Amino acid sequence: MLFVLDTVSCPRFRTRTDYIQDLGSTASMSDVQESTNPLLDVNLLENQSSTQVTESGPKSESEHLRVTIGATVPTGFEQTAADEVREKLGSSCKISKDRGKIYFDISVESLAQVHCLRSVDNLFVVVQEFKDYQFKETKEEVLKDFEELAGKLPWSDPLKIWKINTRFKKRKTKRKKISQNTSKEKIDNGQGDKTDEKDVKKEITNNVLDSQILDYYENLAIKEEISTLVGDDLVSCKDETDESSKEETDPEVLKFRVTCNRAGEKHCFSSNEVARDFGGAVQEYFKWKADMTNFDVEVLLNIHDNEVVVGIALTEESLHRRNITHFGPTTLRSTLAYGMLRLCAPQPTDIIIDPMCGTGAIPIEGATEWSNCYHIAGDNNPLAVNRAANNISSLLTKSQVKEGKLSWGLPIDTVQWDICKLPLRTGSVDIIVTDMPFGKRMGSKKRNWDLYPACLREMSRVCRPGTGRAVLLTQDKKCFTKALSAMGHVWRKVHTVWVNIGGLHAAVYLLKRTPQTFVHPSEQDGGRSPWCKE
């Protein structure tokens, strides 16, 4: 029996143009014409601005402003992140010797796209990289070199990127507040009476167009800030508030901190000592104010053996928290979920399930990035299923605020089920991606000896023979290896990715379903697992 607790599926996603056309068929042409005029004015302003930039010249200078971006990624998935960068940004990518870091060059116009990468946790702009830094023999000499280094670094372009990034984030926050206020406008007139249907449709049309105008300014703002910072006299946006103008003309003293990440056994100094002395030199050079908690600028000093990278942080918190609002005891990072999904190369119309979904991080990431597939989030714990459903609901609400209109949903369902007896037809699933219990915070290693074989057996039943695949994460490698060896006739191991999960050495296994038809085990072969419901 299949019990669906929450259903938010959608067979087709629609663009704003589709939505406006539907509204236009019911609203009068004069209403739509009136609502479209502001958008036409904005397009005219864009053409004028483009002409001014072309004539003034500095646009070509801004186009040549290129920087190196560093990103932290889940360890083991560096190659996956590098592939995403090449596909989405068209930039070559270098994987660092220091695990969990990649570097790539971009033009400044691609800065907003960098924040949309699904595989990266944190971003920073590289000030300078030293591939073979020569450390002195004594601690005093090393610390003295770091003090002198602060005044020799090429800070100019990275700080321009930091300013653009900061102003972009401020505009994005302002846009979000405007969209929230727009979406919260009441249709009720205060007396309890409903307004006319025509007025409601007109209001929705205006809200959609207002959202488009905000999109225009948000995208245009990046290019204008770039032009201003490289010497263009063009004013960024004519409708800047007085408060924002005051902030730019009377800037406050920036607060900063230095964070040092060190790896290697041959160093005669500690991370705190380098951060302290290098930070003091940065403070003296820029006349900034040191603040370890409420800082504006975070200077990063990454030291791995003889490799030293100085950077400026572009993210305040990890991007892996983008989808989850209701956390559980073992919530998986969205970036790791993306890497696991990408390993199995989802194709359009694939049916993808997570039979032990927890808070739903994997299927939610899948439904967001691979919306042309159908995703099912299932778990035997009703609390976990409720958390997953709440996370889907929160993501839809966030999408509605961002788009300024009602969302059509995500191709995902949440289900409470028994992992050992899935309510799915034999051979009906294309991909299985899940985070299996480690036996630490959830379950126990003793129970895993029964659970893992039962899971692999049931997964082999529902997975499509010959083409099906599974990506399974576990820290209990010994138990999993033993269970997999007993299921070698239906599962073939293709690849293993070693990852670090909260300090635990874990593995992600990519399995391929063999063409052999599933045969139910006899009672003599072990019967049911104690984890399975009778």
Side-chain angles (χ1 to χ4, degrees), residues 218-234:
E218 182 177 291
N219 295 330
L220 182 64
I222 299 176
K223 295 182 180 180
E224 290 179 342
E225 291 294 349
I226 294 167
S227 299
T228 303
L229 288 171
V230 297
D232 193 2
D233 294 330
L234 195 63

Side-chain angles (χ1 to χ4, degrees), residues 5-8 323-328 331 354 356-365 376-379 381-396 410 412-416:
L5 298 186
D6 184 275
T7 304
V8 279
N323 293 336
I324 305 300
T325 54
H326 297 76
F327 290 86
T331 298
D354 181 353
M356 294 176 278
C357 70
T359 54
I362 293 174
I364 289 175
E365 184 68 21
I376 305 177
D379 203 289
N381 188 334
L383 292 177
V385 178
N386 286 334
R387 289 193 189 104
N390 288 332
N391 282 322
I392 295 170
S393 178
S394 298
L395 187 62
L396 289 173
L410 293 170
I412 181 174
D413 282 327
T414 56
V415 184
Q416 182 179 345

